[in-house]
Amino acid sequence: MDYPAYATAGAEAISVVQRGGYILTRLVPIGDIWSISGTMRLFGPRDLPAVKTLAASLLKRFPTLAFNNPAKAEQARMMVGKHHAVFLDVCGSHVVSGTGADIIAAYRSFLDACSEASVAENPDAAALVRPAEQLAPDDSFPPELAGSGDLTLYHHPVMGVSFLVRYGQVEAAHRTPPADAADPAAEVLRGYVEDTTIPAHVLEDLAAKYPDTVDAAYRAALSSPGFRWEDDGGALLRRHKPDSGRDKDLPGVSPVPASLIDEYRRLK
């Protein structure tokens, strides 16, 4: 993004900046302008490899930083939306369940289909494409996923892919509410509520799918006789799910600029 910025110490303070170089600094908004604040770390044109590595590491650690640029957020939404259409075409539904081996195979088929769609849209992208076995090698899947007998691959049209262990049991708890809080089904449902790695939209989707039984399921699981999803579900998710607040509509995937792809892939 473009930031017309001013140095409070005057133009002389930035005279050492090389044209074609790079600066690491802080910009502070003052009204409608930006002021350079604090120290500046300077990089010359020859430092481009180091700058790329720094940019890629920031993107990997803080992927939502890119969405300060509205154009990047919209680009990501469009990308995830296209991936969602591919997922539905490959898997037939936004939710696919099976064994760990089944789901890993389905995920790789999805990745290959996304690559094919990308190349069909932009033939120049062929040079950047890698097969799914390289994008998602065996050692990238934790044992609890690869060895699971109840694993689900879930794709959201904005947030993208999630791997969900025991999703089938949680859906069963919504379909047939547990008898009480001691019921194993209630324990599984509580686990999904309290696990911060389970996206809020997964539970919202299940609540919408089972409107006639969702209240009873949560009343039993939470030992809360007066619980109503319509009134209390949002507060419950905000309490346990970091993605259910102000960032819930941000895409779950950040676009990586072509100039940073090699550096991004090298990062562990």
Side-chain angles (χ1 to χ4, degrees):
M1 296 175 67
D2 293 328
Y3 294 88
Y6 299 82
T8 55
E12 186 174 330
I14 58 173
S15 62
V16 292
V17 177
Q18 300 180 49
R19 182 176 296 277
Y22 306 86
I23 307 172
L24 179 64
T25 189
R26 178 184 292 108
L27 296 180
V28 176
I30 302 177
D32 295 330
I33 67 173
W34 294 86
S35 174
I36 298 173
S37 173
T39 58
M40 297 187 299
R41 183 176 177 182
L42 305 179
F43 300 88
R46 294 182 179 179
D47 296 319
L48 179 58
V51 172
K52 283 186 174 183
T53 298
L54 174 61
S57 64
L58 284 172
L59 181 60
K60 198 171 189 73
R61 289 182 60 198
F62 309 105
T64 59
L65 281 179
F67 300 147
N68 288 326
N69 184 338
K72 294 295 184 184
E74 183 58 27
Q75 179 186 357
R77 288 190 185 95
M78 291 179 62
M79 180 171 64
V80 179
K82 292 177 181 178
H83 289 175
H84 189 66
V86 171
F87 192 95
L88 294 177
D89 184 55
V90 170
C91 300
S93 170
H94 72 290
V95 179
V96 181
S97 299
T99 66
D102 294 335
I103 296 308
I104 289 173
Y107 180 58
R108 287 172 173 165
S109 295
F110 162 65
L111 291 179
D112 283 334
C114 286
S115 295
E116 292 172 5
S118 177
V119 172
E121 186 175 302
N122 177 18
D124 292 339
L128 303 175
V129 168
R130 292 193 298 171
E133 286 75 10
Q134 292 183 20
L135 293 173
D138 290 341
D139 60 7
S140 68
F141 297 96
E144 61 269 23
L145 295 187
S148 174
D150 179 9
L151 184 62
T152 292
L153 186 62
Y154 185 111
H155 200 283
H156 187 271
V158 175
M159 300 305 295
V161 163
S162 297
F163 289 88
L164 306 170
V165 177
R166 300 201 294 179
Y167 175 89
Q169 297 177 46
V170 175
E171 182 172 18
H174 281 76
R175 186 186 309 112
T176 304
D180 52 41
D183 191 315
E187 182 179 354
V188 174
L189 178 53
R190 283 196 303 274
Y192 257 55
V193 171
E194 296 168 1
D195 187 342
T196 58
T197 68
I198 302 295
H201 60 255
V202 170
L203 293 175
E204 291 173 332
D205 187 29
L206 284 170
K209 187 175 181 180
Y210 297 99
D212 296 332
T213 51
V214 62
D215 292 346
Y218 279 92
R219 287 170 184 171
L222 304 177
S223 298
S224 178
F227 184 93
R228 296 184 70 249
W229 177 265
E230 184 176 356
D231 297 331
D232 308 314
L236 179 69
L237 295 179
R238 286 191 296 273
R239 189 158 63 247
H240 294 284
K241 306 294 183 186
D243 68 327
S244 65
R246 62 182 179 85
D247 294 337
K248 67 176 299 184
D249 295 325
L250 290 179
V253 175
S254 290
V256 179
S259 60
L260 296 181
I261 286 180
D262 289 340
E263 287 76 12
Y264 192 86
R265 286 174 173 172
R266 281 195 288 267
L267 294 174
K268 299 297 184 181

